[in-house]
Amino acid sequence: MKQVFVMLVACCLAVGAHAQQAADAAATDAIKKEKEKSDKDITDAKAAAKASTWMDRAKTYQNIASSGNVKVDSAAATTAYDAYKKVIELDKDKKGGPGKLAKEAEDALKSPGLYSAFMQQGVAKFQAKNYGEAVKSLTMASDINPKDTLAPLYSAIAAQQVKDNATAKTQLEKYIAGGGKDVAIYGSLAMLYRGDNEIDKALATLDKGIALAPSNKDLANEKINIMLSTNRMDEAISGMKAMVEKDPNNVQNLVNLSIVYNNIAHKRDEEVRKLEGDTKKGGNTAKQLADSKSIIDAYNSEIARLSASIKKTPKNAELKRQLADVQKRLAEQKTEMATLEAAAKEAAANASVAAANEKKLADIRQMQTENYNLEKQYLDKALAVDPNNYDANFNMAVWIFNRAVEMKRNVDKMDMAEYNKNGKELDGKVCGKFKQALPYFQKAKSIKDEAEVTENLTNTENILKQYEEKKIVCIESK
């Protein structure tokens, strides 16, 4: 939203710069004199009763506003509008209908000239950071010309400056209804709706923008984010699959669907980490208890040996020192074992909970695997349609890289005995998986040289270099 906003403000100020091209001194003096005459005329009761007086006033002030001469009067367009209204009020024919001047005033209230006057006034107010008044002027311009898109756009920007989201949304809807084609505006309006928890309107707005620009990644990603945050993924998947079936060669749709499956899988990461921690804690307690018993048995054996040696040489001070040291360690180990036994009892009491957690963890991992596989399936389809698509190549590289990381974690969990048995071969497979990611990162970089892909490519190359230095042969497999 910030990027869109900056772009729009820059555009607004450019118009403002044009609006502020002041007339030369002579013209300004002439305008001031006409203004002074008009101001004086309406103080005269006889002149103020004439429709022609107000018509002259309307034209005078409209001219001031249209010239952008805000120093003469910064609210000239509003004064002109009110004067036209006064003409309509005063000028009646014999039947009570609008007279000639009244009809002219009615036309003027819908004219491009008055629209331009309010636009100039609104932009000047915006530049002066008088955003509330800018909204009023720009909204008037929009009302005068309902088919215009410029006025509602600027009005929405000004409304956002004063945190008036309701007006901003209304004006952006007018921009869209008027045929506005800037898809960034659809994203901005959707974010306003999302911020006010109007999710259905946010999604409907994004759908309009996507229909206008099917390949726009920002709109599609925002829709995915909203679907994720509001638990509407089944709806999202159903809709996107229908789009893929309708147009199987639309690469962006295939990539977007792969992103959805990736997000679904990642959404459960935190839960997996917690369950893994709980499971590991229980397993560690049992292992630590077994290790503690072994240590106590070792200490008891050592005490028996030292005691026997001291009986043979009762004056040996070193043996006595060793015995005292081992007895102290035994006492400490017994204290630790008591703590571990209490933890083991607690774990046993919660065995059913632990079992349920293990099953839940297995189910979540299975779900994640299925979704990651679906992610790859749609990336494969995207690359089959367009091998030179940046997103498909980059996301495939990331997919393979992340699978390599998962494999590496399993190797890192091995103890020395396990590693000596199978670790080197598994390390080779991990290396092979990292190596499979490399060409996709390279391809993505050749398509679009961005910092993100450069960083990931360098990281992958460094990892492979480390395996090479360790003389681990990469084993590539599917």
Side-chain angles (χ1 to χ4, degrees):
M1 180 61 189
K2 187 175 181 181
Q3 184 179 0
V4 172
F5 180 76
V6 169
M7 178 188 71
L8 296 180
V9 169
C11 182
C12 182
L13 293 179
V15 172
H18 173 72
Q20 292 304 310
Q21 290 177 352
D24 59 34
T28 300
D29 288 341
I31 287 174
K32 285 182 179 179
K33 288 178 180 178
E34 289 177 13
K35 177 182 180 301
E36 290 170 1
K37 180 180 182 302
S38 177
D39 292 344
K40 183 178 179 181
D41 286 346
I42 63 167
T43 61
D44 179 89
K46 189 174 180 179
K50 297 178 180 179
S52 59
T53 300
W54 291 95
M55 178 59 81
D56 289 341
R57 181 174 180 79
K59 291 179 179 179
T60 295
Y61 274 84
Q62 181 175 320
N63 184 36
I64 294 171
S66 296
S67 69
N69 211 323
V70 294
K71 291 183 179 180
V72 175
D73 194 310
S74 63
T78 304
T79 302
Y81 179 88
D82 292 339
Y84 282 127
K85 286 284 190 179
K86 190 70 174 177
V87 172
I88 295 170
E89 177 189 327
L90 294 174
D91 188 35
K92 305 290 183 183
D93 62 18
K94 293 179 180 179
K95 295 181 180 180
K100 182 180 179 181
L101 287 179
K103 290 177 181 179
E104 184 182 341
E106 288 175 350
D107 290 339
L109 288 173
K110 297 178 286 184
S111 69
L114 192 60
Y115 158 81
S116 177
F118 272 107
M119 278 296 294
Q120 307 289 28
Q121 180 171 293
V123 170
K125 296 290 186 185
F126 189 100
Q127 288 188 314
K129 297 186 178 181
N130 188 347
Y131 300 117
E133 290 300 316
V135 170
K136 292 179 183 178
S137 297
L138 293 166
T139 300
M140 282 297 298
S142 177
D143 290 342
I144 292 168
N145 182 7
K147 295 182 180 180
D148 172 56
T149 57
L150 202 58
L153 182 56
Y154 294 162
S155 182
I157 297 168
Q160 284 181 273
Q161 291 293 303
V162 291
K163 311 299 182 185
D164 184 359
N165 282 359
T167 297
K169 288 183 289 189
T170 298
Q171 293 302 315
L172 289 181
E173 285 287 8
K174 288 180 71 174
Y175 169 85
I176 291 172
K181 301 297 184 183
D182 188 341
V183 294
I185 303 306
Y186 290 78
S188 299
L189 178 57
M191 291 183 73
L192 286 173
Y193 278 131
R194 184 182 183 182
D196 290 338
N197 207 31
E198 296 178 272
I199 303 302
D200 288 336
K201 289 184 177 180
L203 292 173
T205 301
L206 289 170
D207 284 339
K208 289 178 185 177
I210 291 169
L212 189 65
S215 63
N216 187 283
K217 293 187 293 183
D218 293 334
L219 296 181
N221 288 338
E222 179 63 12
K223 182 175 180 179
I224 291 169
N225 289 335
I226 292 177
M227 289 291 194
L228 272 173
S229 64
T230 56
N231 294 316
R232 298 190 184 195
M233 291 317 301
D234 289 342
E235 180 185 340
I237 290 171
S238 176
M240 295 180 78
K241 280 186 174 179
M243 292 169 66
V244 167
E245 288 175 10
K246 184 178 179 181
D247 185 5
N249 292 324
N250 186 311
V251 177
Q252 194 60 52
N253 288 342
L254 292 166
V255 171
N256 288 340
L257 193 48
S258 75
I259 292 171
V260 169
Y261 284 115
N262 176 276
N263 284 328
I264 293 173
H266 273 307
K267 196 174 182 184
R268 306 297 290 274
D269 282 349
E270 185 59 36
E271 191 174 1
V272 166
R273 280 192 288 271
K274 184 179 184 305
L275 288 170
E276 282 179 337
D278 292 343
T279 303
K280 185 177 179 181
K281 191 186 299 181
N284 282 347
T285 300
K287 186 177 185 304
Q288 288 171 351
L289 184 59
D291 290 343
S292 182
K293 287 179 179 178
S294 297
I295 293 170
I296 287 174
D297 290 342
Y299 283 157
N300 282 328
S301 295
E302 181 66 5
I303 288 171
R305 185 189 70 79
L306 289 169
S307 296
S309 297
I310 289 172
K311 281 183 180 180
K312 292 179 182 179
T313 55
K315 294 183 179 180
N316 190 319
E318 178 57 24
L319 288 175
K320 290 180 180 179
R321 186 196 66 75
Q322 291 178 17
L323 177 61
D325 183 54
V326 173
Q327 287 172 333
K328 180 183 177 184
R329 292 183 185 182
L330 175 62
E332 292 172 348
Q333 192 62 41
K334 283 182 176 180
T335 300
E336 183 178 339
M337 185 172 175
T339 302
L340 290 170
E341 284 175 337
K345 287 179 181 178
E346 183 180 351
N350 296 325
S352 60
V353 175
N357 283 344
E358 285 186 14
K359 184 179 184 307
K360 187 175 181 180
L361 179 59
D363 290 343
I364 293 174
R365 281 175 173 162
Q366 178 63 27
M367 181 276 293
Q368 286 185 310
T369 298
E370 290 172 359
N371 282 293
Y372 283 134
N373 288 341
L374 285 166
E375 176 192 2
K376 184 176 184 296
Q377 176 183 319
Y378 282 101
L379 287 173
D380 282 331
K381 289 182 178 181
L383 287 168
V385 174
D386 182 7
N388 295 314
N389 182 273
Y390 172 82
D391 291 315
N393 277 282
F394 180 79
N395 290 358
M396 179 63 85
V398 171
W399 188 94
I400 297 170
F401 186 95
N402 287 342
R403 302 294 79 74
V405 171
E406 289 173 6
M407 293 168 65
K408 182 70 168 66
R409 286 197 190 110
N410 291 330
V411 173
D412 292 342
K413 289 177 184 177
M414 291 180 172
D415 57 30
M416 188 57 68
E418 288 176 309
Y419 187 81
N420 287 336
K421 186 178 180 181
N422 300 311
K424 288 189 177 180
E425 181 183 353
L426 290 176
D427 249 341
K429 290 181 178 179
V430 172
C431 175
K433 187 59 71 174
F434 279 120
K435 192 173 181 179
Q436 286 176 352
L438 187 64
Y440 290 101
F441 279 131
Q442 290 172 331
K443 181 69 172 179
K445 182 176 172 63
S446 71
I447 297 165
K448 193 188 298 183
D449 190 1
E450 293 193 344
E452 185 179 33
V453 69
T454 300
E455 181 181 346
N456 280 278
L457 175 58
T458 301
N459 189 28
T460 305
E461 289 172 338
N462 288 338
I463 289 171
L464 291 173
K465 186 177 180 181
Q466 290 171 19
Y467 277 106
E468 185 180 350
E469 290 171 351
K470 293 177 183 178
K471 301 189 184 308
I472 294 174
V473 178
C474 296
I475 304 171
E476 294 187 53
S477 58
K478 290 184 178 179

